[in-house]
Amino acid sequence: MEKKVINKHVSFWVEDNSVLLCKISNLNPDQKLDYKIAQECLAVVSELNTGVPMPIIIDLRDVRGTFSIAAGHLLSKKIESMSLISTEVYLVNSLSINLLIKSYKRLYSKKLPHAIFKSMKLAKVYCLNYQS
């Protein structure tokens, strides 16, 4: 399992079951995911993908803060046009991040199916069922 780390706060890896995982750790509520980091994330997604669309689990349980508008536009536009991601699954443990994800999906990214969970186990089951 190869793990790619971007600026010490974002990690990507692929599990044996062909699920792309992303872990974001940012406990600073004043820090935003900016355009440059969003570009780096997209490059890693392209690099780790085998050419077959796969689900992605984005673990946001250790996140405080938000993303820039430019980063939101870039992520939604590129992820939907790359066709490397089949579904997005978000792991959250706070109401504020849950609401942030719902707003992001409503405003920016409407094409890809998505789900929000509090448990990694449920997120993985969803991904496996979605692949079948």
Side-chain angles (χ1 to χ4, degrees):
M1 172 174 63
E2 181 181 8
K3 193 172 204 175
K4 300 281 185 178
V5 179
I6 300 172
N7 86 345
K8 81 179 178 180
H9 294 294
V10 184
S11 301
F12 288 91
W13 66 98
V14 177
E15 290 208 334
D16 296 335
N17 56 8
S18 299
V19 174
L20 179 61
L21 283 105
C22 173
K23 171 76 174 160
I24 303 175
S25 302
N26 173 28
L27 297 177
N28 181 353
D30 296 326
Q31 189 173 3
K32 289 184 179 185
L33 178 93
D34 63 15
Y35 190 87
K36 182 179 181 238
I37 296 171
Q39 285 180 312
E40 292 174 14
C41 291
L42 291 168
V44 170
V45 167
S46 293
E47 183 180 328
L48 291 176
N49 191 281
T50 59
V52 177
M54 59 177 47
I56 184 170
I57 297 175
I58 303 169
D59 187 347
L60 300 170
R61 293 177 291 184
D62 293 328
V63 171
R64 306 292 175 263
T66 187
F67 53 86
S68 70
I69 293 171
H73 281 291
L74 177 68
L75 289 171
S76 65
K77 180 179 164 188
K78 292 292 184 179
I79 286 176
E80 289 177 352
S81 68
M82 286 191 312
S83 70
L84 298 176
I85 304 297
S86 59
T87 186
E88 299 169 318
V89 178
Y90 298 92
L91 283 175
V92 301
N93 62 356
S94 72
L95 178 60
S96 60
I97 298 299
N98 192 333
L99 292 173
L100 178 69
I101 296 305
K102 287 180 179 180
S103 295
Y104 165 76
K105 293 302 291 180
R106 183 177 51 82
L107 295 172
Y108 298 108
S109 179
K110 299 177 183 179
K111 292 181 183 176
L112 283 178
H114 72 283
I116 300 173
F117 295 99
K118 290 185 178 185
S119 157
M120 178 64 85
K121 183 178 179 181
L122 292 175
K124 287 182 178 180
V125 167
Y126 175 86
C127 288
L128 294 175
N129 288 337
Y130 193 85
Q131 286 178 316
S132 301

